PDB file of all heavy atoms in Angstrom:
ATOM      1  N   ALA A  28      -1.505  -2.180  -0.331  1.00 96.00           N
ATOM      2  CA  ALA A  28      -1.992  -1.959   1.029  1.00 96.00           C
ATOM      3  C   ALA A  28      -3.518  -1.993   1.076  1.00 96.00           C
ATOM      4  O   ALA A  28      -4.129  -2.636   1.948  1.00 96.00           O
ATOM      5  CB  ALA A  28      -1.476  -0.623   1.557  1.00 96.00           C
ATOM      6  N   ILE A  29      -4.169  -1.305   0.140  1.00 97.00           N
ATOM      7  CA  ILE A  29      -5.639  -1.303   0.108  1.00 97.00           C
ATOM      8  C   ILE A  29      -6.172  -2.703  -0.194  1.00 97.00           C
ATOM      9  O   ILE A  29      -7.153  -3.167   0.405  1.00 97.00           O
ATOM     10  CB  ILE A  29      -6.143  -0.285  -0.937  1.00 97.00           C
ATOM     11  CG1 ILE A  29      -5.703   1.134  -0.555  1.00 97.00           C
ATOM     12  CG2 ILE A  29      -7.665  -0.346  -1.063  1.00 97.00           C
ATOM     13  CD1 ILE A  29      -6.016   2.182  -1.608  1.00 97.00           C
ATOM     14  N   ALA A  30      -5.499  -3.400  -1.129  1.00 98.00           N
ATOM     15  CA  ALA A  30      -5.934  -4.756  -1.475  1.00 98.00           C
ATOM     16  C   ALA A  30      -5.845  -5.701  -0.282  1.00 98.00           C
ATOM     17  O   ALA A  30      -6.668  -6.602  -0.125  1.00 98.00           O
ATOM     18  CB  ALA A  30      -5.084  -5.289  -2.635  1.00 98.00           C
ATOM     19  N   SER A  31      -4.830  -5.494   0.581  1.00 96.00           N
ATOM     20  CA  SER A  31      -4.703  -6.365   1.758  1.00 96.00           C
ATOM     21  C   SER A  31      -5.875  -6.167   2.718  1.00 96.00           C
ATOM     22  O   SER A  31      -6.347  -7.132   3.343  1.00 96.00           O
ATOM     23  CB  SER A  31      -3.376  -6.095   2.467  1.00 96.00           C
ATOM     24  OG  SER A  31      -3.364  -4.798   3.037  1.00 96.00           O
ATOM     25  N   ILE A  32      -6.367  -4.930   2.823  1.00 96.00           N
ATOM     26  CA  ILE A  32      -7.531  -4.679   3.676  1.00 96.00           C
ATOM     27  C   ILE A  32      -8.780  -5.304   3.058  1.00 96.00           C
ATOM     28  O   ILE A  32      -9.608  -5.912   3.751  1.00 96.00           O
ATOM     29  CB  ILE A  32      -7.718  -3.161   3.884  1.00 96.00           C
ATOM     30  CG1 ILE A  32      -6.499  -2.562   4.606  1.00 96.00           C
ATOM     31  CG2 ILE A  32      -8.992  -2.878   4.681  1.00 96.00           C
ATOM     32  CD1 ILE A  32      -6.551  -1.050   4.763  1.00 96.00           C
ATOM     33  N   VAL A  33      -8.912  -5.168   1.737  1.00 97.00           N
ATOM     34  CA  VAL A  33     -10.064  -5.753   1.039  1.00 97.00           C
ATOM     35  C   VAL A  33     -10.075  -7.271   1.206  1.00 97.00           C
ATOM     36  O   VAL A  33     -11.120  -7.888   1.494  1.00 97.00           O
ATOM     37  CB  VAL A  33     -10.016  -5.371  -0.455  1.00 97.00           C
ATOM     38  CG1 VAL A  33     -11.088  -6.133  -1.232  1.00 97.00           C
ATOM     39  CG2 VAL A  33     -10.212  -3.870  -0.634  1.00 97.00           C
ATOM     40  N   LYS A  34      -8.913  -7.873   1.026  1.00 96.00           N
ATOM     41  CA  LYS A  34      -8.814  -9.335   1.143  1.00 96.00           C
ATOM     42  C   LYS A  34      -9.119  -9.792   2.564  1.00 96.00           C
ATOM     43  O   LYS A  34      -9.758 -10.832   2.789  1.00 96.00           O
ATOM     44  CB  LYS A  34      -7.422  -9.781   0.715  1.00 96.00           C
ATOM     45  CG  LYS A  34      -7.251 -11.289   0.666  1.00 96.00           C
ATOM     46  CD  LYS A  34      -5.863 -11.649   0.144  1.00 96.00           C
ATOM     47  CE  LYS A  34      -5.700 -13.164   0.066  1.00 96.00           C
ATOM     48  NZ  LYS A  34      -4.350 -13.538  -0.467  1.00 96.00           N
ATOM     49  N   LYS A  35      -8.661  -9.011   3.546  1.00 94.00           N
ATOM     50  CA  LYS A  35      -8.908  -9.364   4.951  1.00 94.00           C
ATOM     51  C   LYS A  35     -10.399  -9.404   5.250  1.00 94.00           C
ATOM     52  O   LYS A  35     -10.875 -10.270   5.996  1.00 94.00           O
ATOM     53  CB  LYS A  35      -8.193  -8.351   5.853  1.00 94.00           C
ATOM     54  CG  LYS A  35      -8.437  -8.573   7.338  1.00 94.00           C
ATOM     55  CD  LYS A  35      -7.727  -7.513   8.167  1.00 94.00           C
ATOM     56  CE  LYS A  35      -8.005  -7.686   9.649  1.00 94.00           C
ATOM     57  NZ  LYS A  35      -7.333  -6.644  10.462  1.00 94.00           N
ATOM     58  N   HIS A  36     -11.175  -8.483   4.648  1.00 95.00           N
ATOM     59  CA  HIS A  36     -12.616  -8.415   4.902  1.00 95.00           C
ATOM     60  C   HIS A  36     -13.419  -9.214   3.868  1.00 95.00           C
ATOM     61  O   HIS A  36     -14.659  -9.221   3.929  1.00 95.00           O
ATOM     62  CB  HIS A  36     -13.074  -6.961   4.915  1.00 95.00           C
ATOM     63  CG  HIS A  36     -12.605  -6.195   6.130  1.00 95.00           C
ATOM     64  ND1 HIS A  36     -13.354  -6.090   7.280  1.00 95.00           N
ATOM     65  CD2 HIS A  36     -11.447  -5.531   6.365  1.00 95.00           C
ATOM     66  CE1 HIS A  36     -12.694  -5.361   8.173  1.00 95.00           C
ATOM     67  NE2 HIS A  36     -11.535  -5.005   7.643  1.00 95.00           N
ATOM     68  N   ASN A  37     -12.715  -9.846   2.914  1.00 97.00           N
ATOM     69  CA  ASN A  37     -13.338 -10.737   1.942  1.00 97.00           C
ATOM     70  C   ASN A  37     -14.477 -10.049   1.181  1.00 97.00           C
ATOM     71  O   ASN A  37     -15.605 -10.553   1.094  1.00 97.00           O
ATOM     72  CB  ASN A  37     -13.860 -12.002   2.641  1.00 97.00           C
ATOM     73  CG  ASN A  37     -14.205 -13.101   1.646  1.00 97.00           C
ATOM     74  OD1 ASN A  37     -13.603 -13.188   0.571  1.00 97.00           O
ATOM     75  ND2 ASN A  37     -15.179 -13.935   1.988  1.00 97.00           N
ATOM     76  N   THR A  38     -14.175  -8.873   0.638  1.00 97.00           N
ATOM     77  CA  THR A  38     -15.179  -8.122  -0.097  1.00 97.00           C
ATOM     78  C   THR A  38     -14.471  -7.212  -1.101  1.00 97.00           C
ATOM     79  O   THR A  38     -13.263  -7.337  -1.310  1.00 97.00           O
ATOM     80  CB  THR A  38     -16.044  -7.292   0.878  1.00 97.00           C
ATOM     81  OG1 THR A  38     -17.078  -6.652   0.137  1.00 97.00           O
ATOM     82  CG2 THR A  38     -15.229  -6.275   1.631  1.00 97.00           C
ATOM     83  N   TYR A  39     -15.221  -6.269  -1.709  1.00 98.00           N
ATOM     84  CA  TYR A  39     -14.654  -5.286  -2.626  1.00 98.00           C
ATOM     85  C   TYR A  39     -14.755  -3.911  -1.959  1.00 98.00           C
ATOM     86  O   TYR A  39     -15.385  -3.742  -0.917  1.00 98.00           O
ATOM     87  CB  TYR A  39     -15.410  -5.249  -3.960  1.00 98.00           C
ATOM     88  CG  TYR A  39     -15.394  -6.557  -4.736  1.00 98.00           C
ATOM     89  CD1 TYR A  39     -16.306  -6.770  -5.773  1.00 98.00           C
ATOM     90  CD2 TYR A  39     -14.479  -7.559  -4.452  1.00 98.00           C
ATOM     91  CE1 TYR A  39     -16.304  -7.948  -6.502  1.00 98.00           C
ATOM     92  CE2 TYR A  39     -14.478  -8.751  -5.163  1.00 98.00           C
ATOM     93  CZ  TYR A  39     -15.390  -8.948  -6.188  1.00 98.00           C
ATOM     94  OH  TYR A  39     -15.386 -10.119  -6.891  1.00 98.00           O
ATOM     95  N   THR A  40     -14.081  -2.910  -2.560  1.00 98.00           N
ATOM     96  CA  THR A  40     -14.158  -1.550  -2.037  1.00 98.00           C
ATOM     97  C   THR A  40     -14.211  -0.564  -3.189  1.00 98.00           C
ATOM     98  O   THR A  40     -13.762  -0.857  -4.310  1.00 98.00           O
ATOM     99  CB  THR A  40     -12.952  -1.229  -1.134  1.00 98.00           C
ATOM    100  OG1 THR A  40     -13.177   0.031  -0.489  1.00 98.00           O
ATOM    101  CG2 THR A  40     -11.656  -1.147  -1.923  1.00 98.00           C
ATOM    102  N   TYR A  41     -14.781   0.625  -2.922  1.00 98.00           N
ATOM    103  CA  TYR A  41     -14.749   1.713  -3.895  1.00 98.00           C
ATOM    104  C   TYR A  41     -13.433   2.482  -3.743  1.00 98.00           C
ATOM    105  O   TYR A  41     -12.881   2.603  -2.635  1.00 98.00           O
ATOM    106  CB  TYR A  41     -15.917   2.676  -3.677  1.00 98.00           C
ATOM    107  CG  TYR A  41     -17.231   2.215  -4.273  1.00 98.00           C
ATOM    108  CD1 TYR A  41     -18.372   2.090  -3.483  1.00 98.00           C
ATOM    109  CD2 TYR A  41     -17.330   1.933  -5.625  1.00 98.00           C
ATOM    110  CE1 TYR A  41     -19.584   1.681  -4.022  1.00 98.00           C
ATOM    111  CE2 TYR A  41     -18.544   1.524  -6.180  1.00 98.00           C
ATOM    112  CZ  TYR A  41     -19.652   1.393  -5.378  1.00 98.00           C
ATOM    113  OH  TYR A  41     -20.845   0.984  -5.918  1.00 98.00           O
ATOM    114  N   LEU A  42     -12.940   3.038  -4.849  1.00 98.00           N
ATOM    115  CA  LEU A  42     -11.751   3.881  -4.849  1.00 98.00           C
ATOM    116  C   LEU A  42     -12.156   5.327  -5.094  1.00 98.00           C
ATOM    117  O   LEU A  42     -13.225   5.600  -5.651  1.00 98.00           O
ATOM    118  CB  LEU A  42     -10.748   3.425  -5.921  1.00 98.00           C
ATOM    119  CG  LEU A  42     -10.238   1.996  -5.795  1.00 98.00           C
ATOM    120  CD1 LEU A  42      -9.274   1.659  -6.939  1.00 98.00           C
ATOM    121  CD2 LEU A  42      -9.553   1.769  -4.450  1.00 98.00           C
ATOM    122  N   GLY A  43     -11.292   6.247  -4.710  1.00 98.00           N
ATOM    123  CA  GLY A  43     -11.572   7.674  -4.856  1.00 98.00           C
ATOM    124  C   GLY A  43     -11.369   8.163  -6.277  1.00 98.00           C
ATOM    125  O   GLY A  43     -10.523   9.034  -6.529  1.00 98.00           O
ATOM    126  N   LEU A  44     -12.139   7.607  -7.202  1.00 98.00           N
ATOM    127  CA  LEU A  44     -12.087   7.989  -8.609  1.00 98.00           C
ATOM    128  C   LEU A  44     -13.510   8.226  -9.107  1.00 98.00           C
ATOM    129  O   LEU A  44     -14.468   7.640  -8.588  1.00 98.00           O
ATOM    130  CB  LEU A  44     -11.413   6.899  -9.454  1.00 98.00           C
ATOM    131  CG  LEU A  44      -9.950   6.565  -9.124  1.00 98.00           C
ATOM    132  CD1 LEU A  44      -9.536   5.273  -9.835  1.00 98.00           C
ATOM    133  CD2 LEU A  44      -9.036   7.710  -9.533  1.00 98.00           C
ATOM    134  N   ALA A  45     -13.614   9.084 -10.127  1.00 97.00           N
ATOM    135  CA  ALA A  45     -14.935   9.360 -10.726  1.00 97.00           C
ATOM    136  C   ALA A  45     -14.771   9.454 -12.236  1.00 97.00           C
ATOM    137  O   ALA A  45     -13.800  10.026 -12.739  1.00 97.00           O
ATOM    138  CB  ALA A  45     -15.515  10.653 -10.160  1.00 97.00           C
ATOM    139  N   GLY A  46     -15.737   8.861 -12.984  1.00 95.00           N
ATOM    140  CA  GLY A  46     -15.660   8.841 -14.440  1.00 95.00           C
ATOM    141  C   GLY A  46     -16.454   9.973 -15.075  1.00 95.00           C
ATOM    142  O   GLY A  46     -17.523  10.360 -14.589  1.00 95.00           O
ATOM    143  N   ASP A  47     -15.914  10.504 -16.169  1.00 93.00           N
ATOM    144  CA  ASP A  47     -16.625  11.532 -16.921  1.00 93.00           C
ATOM    145  C   ASP A  47     -17.758  10.857 -17.696  1.00 93.00           C
ATOM    146  O   ASP A  47     -17.516   9.903 -18.445  1.00 93.00           O
ATOM    147  CB  ASP A  47     -15.655  12.244 -17.871  1.00 93.00           C
ATOM    148  CG  ASP A  47     -16.312  13.379 -18.615  1.00 93.00           C
ATOM    149  OD1 ASP A  47     -16.909  13.120 -19.683  1.00 93.00           O
ATOM    150  OD2 ASP A  47     -16.208  14.515 -18.131  1.00 93.00           O
ATOM    151  N   PRO A  48     -19.000  11.326 -17.550  1.00 89.00           N
ATOM    152  CA  PRO A  48     -20.125  10.647 -18.213  1.00 89.00           C
ATOM    153  C   PRO A  48     -20.063  10.724 -19.737  1.00 89.00           C
ATOM    154  O   PRO A  48     -20.665   9.889 -20.418  1.00 89.00           O
ATOM    155  CB  PRO A  48     -21.351  11.393 -17.679  1.00 89.00           C
ATOM    156  CG  PRO A  48     -20.842  12.718 -17.231  1.00 89.00           C
ATOM    157  CD  PRO A  48     -19.438  12.482 -16.752  1.00 89.00           C
ATOM    158  N   THR A  49     -19.339  11.676 -20.269  1.00 87.00           N
ATOM    159  CA  THR A  49     -19.275  11.834 -21.724  1.00 87.00           C
ATOM    160  C   THR A  49     -18.119  11.049 -22.322  1.00 87.00           C
ATOM    161  O   THR A  49     -18.289  10.212 -23.212  1.00 87.00           O
ATOM    162  CB  THR A  49     -19.142  13.318 -22.102  1.00 87.00           C
ATOM    163  OG1 THR A  49     -20.215  14.056 -21.533  1.00 87.00           O
ATOM    164  CG2 THR A  49     -19.133  13.489 -23.616  1.00 87.00           C
ATOM    165  N   SER A  50     -16.915  11.301 -21.804  1.00 88.00           N
ATOM    166  CA  SER A  50     -15.721  10.663 -22.368  1.00 88.00           C
ATOM    167  C   SER A  50     -15.442   9.291 -21.774  1.00 88.00           C
ATOM    168  O   SER A  50     -14.752   8.478 -22.381  1.00 88.00           O
ATOM    169  CB  SER A  50     -14.502  11.571 -22.168  1.00 88.00           C
ATOM    170  OG  SER A  50     -14.227  11.726 -20.780  1.00 88.00           O
ATOM    171  N   GLY A  51     -15.958   9.038 -20.566  1.00 89.00           N
ATOM    172  CA  GLY A  51     -15.666   7.768 -19.889  1.00 89.00           C
ATOM    173  C   GLY A  51     -14.282   7.735 -19.250  1.00 89.00           C
ATOM    174  O   GLY A  51     -13.870   6.701 -18.715  1.00 89.00           O
ATOM    175  N   VAL A  52     -13.542   8.860 -19.298  1.00 95.00           N
ATOM    176  CA  VAL A  52     -12.202   8.940 -18.678  1.00 95.00           C
ATOM    177  C   VAL A  52     -12.369   9.153 -17.179  1.00 95.00           C
ATOM    178  O   VAL A  52     -13.229   9.940 -16.735  1.00 95.00           O
ATOM    179  CB  VAL A  52     -11.382  10.087 -19.307  1.00 95.00           C
ATOM    180  CG1 VAL A  52     -10.032  10.204 -18.624  1.00 95.00           C
ATOM    181  CG2 VAL A  52     -11.212   9.850 -20.808  1.00 95.00           C
ATOM    182  N   PHE A  53     -11.554   8.489 -16.397  1.00 97.00           N
ATOM    183  CA  PHE A  53     -11.626   8.605 -14.938  1.00 97.00           C
ATOM    184  C   PHE A  53     -10.594   9.612 -14.422  1.00 97.00           C
ATOM    185  O   PHE A  53      -9.481   9.725 -14.940  1.00 97.00           O
ATOM    186  CB  PHE A  53     -11.408   7.239 -14.283  1.00 97.00           C
ATOM    187  CG  PHE A  53     -12.595   6.328 -14.403  1.00 97.00           C
ATOM    188  CD1 PHE A  53     -12.752   5.502 -15.517  1.00 97.00           C
ATOM    189  CD2 PHE A  53     -13.573   6.331 -13.426  1.00 97.00           C
ATOM    190  CE1 PHE A  53     -13.859   4.685 -15.628  1.00 97.00           C
ATOM    191  CE2 PHE A  53     -14.684   5.500 -13.529  1.00 97.00           C
ATOM    192  CZ  PHE A  53     -14.831   4.679 -14.636  1.00 97.00           C
ATOM    193  N   TYR A  54     -10.998  10.346 -13.377  1.00 97.00           N
ATOM    194  CA  TYR A  54     -10.149  11.337 -12.726  1.00 97.00           C
ATOM    195  C   TYR A  54     -10.187  11.106 -11.215  1.00 97.00           C
ATOM    196  O   TYR A  54     -11.068  10.414 -10.686  1.00 97.00           O
ATOM    197  CB  TYR A  54     -10.665  12.760 -13.031  1.00 97.00           C
ATOM    198  CG  TYR A  54     -10.612  13.126 -14.497  1.00 97.00           C
ATOM    199  CD1 TYR A  54     -11.708  12.883 -15.330  1.00 97.00           C
ATOM    200  CD2 TYR A  54      -9.490  13.737 -15.040  1.00 97.00           C
ATOM    201  CE1 TYR A  54     -11.684  13.233 -16.678  1.00 97.00           C
ATOM    202  CE2 TYR A  54      -9.450  14.086 -16.391  1.00 97.00           C
ATOM    203  CZ  TYR A  54     -10.543  13.827 -17.198  1.00 97.00           C
ATOM    204  OH  TYR A  54     -10.502  14.166 -18.533  1.00 97.00           O
ATOM    205  N   TYR A  55      -9.209  11.741 -10.531  1.00 98.00           N
ATOM    206  CA  TYR A  55      -9.304  11.790  -9.076  1.00 98.00           C
ATOM    207  C   TYR A  55     -10.465  12.716  -8.708  1.00 98.00           C
ATOM    208  O   TYR A  55     -10.940  13.507  -9.529  1.00 98.00           O
ATOM    209  CB  TYR A  55      -8.001  12.303  -8.455  1.00 98.00           C
ATOM    210  CG  TYR A  55      -6.814  11.367  -8.669  1.00 98.00           C
ATOM    211  CD1 TYR A  55      -5.694  11.785  -9.378  1.00 98.00           C
ATOM    212  CD2 TYR A  55      -6.829  10.082  -8.140  1.00 98.00           C
ATOM    213  CE1 TYR A  55      -4.614  10.931  -9.564  1.00 98.00           C
ATOM    214  CE2 TYR A  55      -5.753   9.219  -8.327  1.00 98.00           C
ATOM    215  CZ  TYR A  55      -4.649   9.638  -9.046  1.00 98.00           C
ATOM    216  OH  TYR A  55      -3.594   8.793  -9.244  1.00 98.00           O
ATOM    217  N   LEU A  56     -10.913  12.640  -7.457  1.00 97.00           N
ATOM    218  CA  LEU A  56     -12.074  13.420  -7.046  1.00 97.00           C
ATOM    219  C   LEU A  56     -11.804  14.923  -7.070  1.00 97.00           C
ATOM    220  O   LEU A  56     -12.759  15.710  -7.059  1.00 97.00           O
ATOM    221  CB  LEU A  56     -12.520  12.986  -5.645  1.00 97.00           C
ATOM    222  CG  LEU A  56     -12.971  11.524  -5.530  1.00 97.00           C
ATOM    223  CD1 LEU A  56     -13.463  11.225  -4.116  1.00 97.00           C
ATOM    224  CD2 LEU A  56     -14.061  11.213  -6.555  1.00 97.00           C
ATOM    225  N   ASP A  57     -10.513  15.329  -7.088  1.00 95.00           N
ATOM    226  CA  ASP A  57     -10.210  16.757  -7.215  1.00 95.00           C
ATOM    227  C   ASP A  57     -10.010  17.164  -8.671  1.00 95.00           C
ATOM    228  O   ASP A  57      -9.449  18.225  -8.954  1.00 95.00           O
ATOM    229  CB  ASP A  57      -8.956  17.101  -6.396  1.00 95.00           C
ATOM    230  CG  ASP A  57      -7.728  16.303  -6.851  1.00 95.00           C
ATOM    231  OD1 ASP A  57      -7.849  15.504  -7.803  1.00 95.00           O
ATOM    232  OD2 ASP A  57      -6.656  16.474  -6.250  1.00 95.00           O
ATOM    233  N   LYS A  58     -10.433  16.305  -9.599  1.00 94.00           N
ATOM    234  CA  LYS A  58     -10.386  16.537 -11.043  1.00 94.00           C
ATOM    235  C   LYS A  58      -8.978  16.398 -11.641  1.00 94.00           C
ATOM    236  O   LYS A  58      -8.787  16.651 -12.834  1.00 94.00           O
ATOM    237  CB  LYS A  58     -10.935  17.930 -11.411  1.00 94.00           C
ATOM    238  CG  LYS A  58     -12.343  18.201 -10.889  1.00 94.00           C
ATOM    239  CD  LYS A  58     -13.339  17.186 -11.418  1.00 94.00           C
ATOM    240  CE  LYS A  58     -14.760  17.496 -10.928  1.00 94.00           C
ATOM    241  NZ  LYS A  58     -15.742  16.493 -11.406  1.00 94.00           N
ATOM    242  N   ALA A  59      -7.999  15.993 -10.837  1.00 97.00           N
ATOM    243  CA  ALA A  59      -6.644  15.807 -11.358  1.00 97.00           C
ATOM    244  C   ALA A  59      -6.585  14.511 -12.165  1.00 97.00           C
ATOM    245  O   ALA A  59      -7.304  13.538 -11.865  1.00 97.00           O
ATOM    246  CB  ALA A  59      -5.632  15.755 -10.211  1.00 97.00           C
ATOM    247  N   PRO A  60      -5.732  14.460 -13.216  1.00 97.00           N
ATOM    248  CA  PRO A  60      -5.628  13.229 -14.022  1.00 97.00           C
ATOM    249  C   PRO A  60      -5.017  12.086 -13.213  1.00 97.00           C
ATOM    250  O   PRO A  60      -4.206  12.302 -12.310  1.00 97.00           O
ATOM    251  CB  PRO A  60      -4.726  13.642 -15.186  1.00 97.00           C
ATOM    252  CG  PRO A  60      -3.961  14.818 -14.688  1.00 97.00           C
ATOM    253  CD  PRO A  60      -4.872  15.545 -13.744  1.00 97.00           C
ATOM    254  N   VAL A  61      -5.401  10.876 -13.543  1.00 97.00           N
ATOM    255  CA  VAL A  61      -4.921   9.693 -12.828  1.00 97.00           C
ATOM    256  C   VAL A  61      -3.501   9.351 -13.309  1.00 97.00           C
ATOM    257  O   VAL A  61      -3.239   9.276 -14.515  1.00 97.00           O
ATOM    258  CB  VAL A  61      -5.867   8.496 -13.070  1.00 97.00           C
ATOM    259  CG1 VAL A  61      -5.326   7.249 -12.384  1.00 97.00           C
ATOM    260  CG2 VAL A  61      -7.266   8.828 -12.568  1.00 97.00           C
ATOM    261  N   ASN A  62      -2.589   9.146 -12.370  1.00 96.00           N
ATOM    262  CA  ASN A  62      -1.198   8.835 -12.732  1.00 96.00           C
ATOM    263  C   ASN A  62      -0.824   7.374 -12.469  1.00 96.00           C
ATOM    264  O   ASN A  62       0.303   6.965 -12.727  1.00 96.00           O
ATOM    265  CB  ASN A  62      -0.226   9.753 -11.974  1.00 96.00           C
ATOM    266  CG  ASN A  62      -0.342   9.600 -10.464  1.00 96.00           C
ATOM    267  OD1 ASN A  62      -1.144   8.817  -9.972  1.00 96.00           O
ATOM    268  ND2 ASN A  62       0.459  10.353  -9.726  1.00 96.00           N
ATOM    269  N   TYR A  63      -1.758   6.599 -11.919  1.00 98.00           N
ATOM    270  CA  TYR A  63      -1.490   5.171 -11.677  1.00 98.00           C
ATOM    271  C   TYR A  63      -2.802   4.407 -11.822  1.00 98.00           C
ATOM    272  O   TYR A  63      -3.846   4.829 -11.301  1.00 98.00           O
ATOM    273  CB  TYR A  63      -0.899   4.945 -10.286  1.00 98.00           C
ATOM    274  CG  TYR A  63      -0.855   3.483  -9.901  1.00 98.00           C
ATOM    275  CD1 TYR A  63       0.148   2.644 -10.380  1.00 98.00           C
ATOM    276  CD2 TYR A  63      -1.850   2.919  -9.091  1.00 98.00           C
ATOM    277  CE1 TYR A  63       0.179   1.297 -10.062  1.00 98.00           C
ATOM    278  CE2 TYR A  63      -1.823   1.573  -8.765  1.00 98.00           C
ATOM    279  CZ  TYR A  63      -0.813   0.765  -9.259  1.00 98.00           C
ATOM    280  OH  TYR A  63      -0.788  -0.568  -8.956  1.00 98.00           O
TER     281      TYR A  63
END
């Protein structure tokens, strides 16, 4: 669904994820682990 919106506007988008500066592991913005 998000990709269809991105493709419609012919650009890229940011996702609600943030990377740990030390480990480089990404989490959701509420610090929960990513499941997909």
Side-chain angles (χ1 to χ4, degrees):
I29 298 173
S31 67
I32 298 176
V33 172
K34 186 176 181 179
K35 177 181 178 181
H36 289 268
N37 194 30
T38 185
Y39 299 164
T40 189
Y41 279 124
L42 301 179
L44 298 168
D47 184 273
T49 304
S50 64
V52 177
F53 285 88
Y54 297 91
Y55 295 118
L56 298 183
D57 59 1
K58 305 301 182 182
V61 177
N62 60 0
Y63 169 79

